[in-house]
Amino acid sequence: MAAALGGLGLLQGRVRLAAAAAAAATFSLGRCGHRAPVIPWAGRSYGSHAKEEEELRVRYLDDEHQGIVVLGLNRSYAKNALSKNLLKMMSKAVDALKSDKKVRTVIFRSEVPGIFCAANLPVPTIAAIDGAALGGGLELALACDIRVAASSAKMGLVETKLAIIPGAGGTQRLPRTIGVSLAKELIFSARIVDGEEAKSIGLISHVVEQNEAGDAAYRRALALAKEFLPQGPVAMRVAKLAINQGMEVDLVTGLAIEEACYAQTIPTKDRIEGLLAFKEKRPPRYKGE
């Protein structure tokens, strides 16, 4: 987990101005139905310790997944509709994760079966969409670096059905993701697409068949996050910064941004450790310094 703080601010404003719309089922992202158990991952092989914060659950995974943090949305009674309280907790969690050098990758997922409803963090963010990501839910997913969805998942910016428009970055991030013409078509029609179509138009990076547990997208996101763990933490952060900022400017300016970001990796202890590990033919032990 990987929606932006700017997006969170916009969403908070929209909740204040349009509480009725924000309470609608269109603002959801993730897995619908019955309330999730208190510890839904208990007993699984990838152990974790959890901090339960009412509607938002923060889990720091351990063992082979150490460095991965999972933010689980748990507002089952409202199908993960974005409330003021949920947005406040998400913003607080994001602020805490920003300054935690031990965090390598953040996964945003729903703990409500069938509903997904993420954040401008310096580390890679992955949205795991195992159910419906509609309206604000999809806008949050669009703010993540990578999106993974089950083939049965449903996604769409459906605000025009409510006589409003996407107001948390959807009109800006969707065309940047799938192209202007297609983004207009989807927003104008309020069309809902499944995981297969979302993959074909470039809305998501990976599509997987749903499993009996209903968490196939989460499992794929976890496997993807695990691929990121061995890399240098500082390099990962500045690589993301270079890409994000470079995409908003012309190529010449983008190359200057890349050079400046590259310079930040030179004096780090991690760079020296990487060279030593290569010379000694062993895995590097990066500390994010």
Side-chain angles (χ1 to χ4, degrees), residues 1 68-72 105-109 125-126 128 218 221-222 225:
M1 277 227 271
I68 300 173
V69 176
V70 180
L71 295 185
T105 301
V106 177
I107 297 176
F108 291 86
R109 57 107 59 161
T125 55
I126 306 172
Y218 168 69
L222 188 64

Side-chain angles (χ1 to χ4, degrees), residues 102-124:
K102 294 181 180 179
V103 177
R104 303 292 184 85
T105 301
V106 177
I107 297 176
F108 291 86
R109 57 107 59 161
S110 171
E111 295 193 358
V112 181
I115 301 293
F116 175 94
C117 200
N120 187 22
L121 287 161
V123 297

Side-chain angles (χ1 to χ4, degrees), residues 141-164:
L142 283 167
C144 289
D145 299 312
I146 300 167
R147 287 163 295 283
V148 180
S151 56
S152 58
K154 303 298 181 184
M155 291 156 272
L157 295 180
V158 297
E159 285 88 345
T160 52
K161 284 188 176 181
L162 300 174
I164 58 176

Side-chain angles (χ1 to χ4, degrees), residues 253-271:
T253 306
L255 291 172
I257 291 172
E258 180 185 76
E259 183 178 1
C261 288
Y262 180 83
Q264 294 182 38
T265 66
I266 300 301
T268 64
K269 295 179 180 179
D270 280 353
R271 186 182 73 87

Side-chain angles (χ1 to χ4, degrees), residues 27-99:
F27 298 119
S28 60
L29 168 148
R31 307 175 32 175
C32 117
H34 58 277
R35 180 180 293 273
V38 175
I39 304 294
W41 300 342
R44 295 187 182 178
S45 59
Y46 45 90
S48 66
H49 60 279
K51 178 181 180 183
E52 182 145 354
E53 297 187 10
E54 301 174 8
E55 298 175 352
L56 181 69
R57 293 176 178 176
V58 182
R59 283 181 168 79
Y60 291 76
L61 304 191
D62 51 29
D63 299 329
E64 61 179 326
H65 299 106
Q66 188 169 357
I68 300 173
V69 176
V70 180
L71 295 185
L73 305 182
N74 187 45
R75 202 164 180 253
S76 58
Y77 62 92
K79 297 184 178 180
N80 281 349
L82 300 175
S83 66
K84 293 180 183 178
N85 187 50
L86 179 57
L87 291 169
K88 182 179 179 180
M89 287 190 292
M90 289 173 65
S91 181
K92 181 180 178 181
V94 165
D95 285 341
L97 292 173
K98 277 186 174 182
S99 58

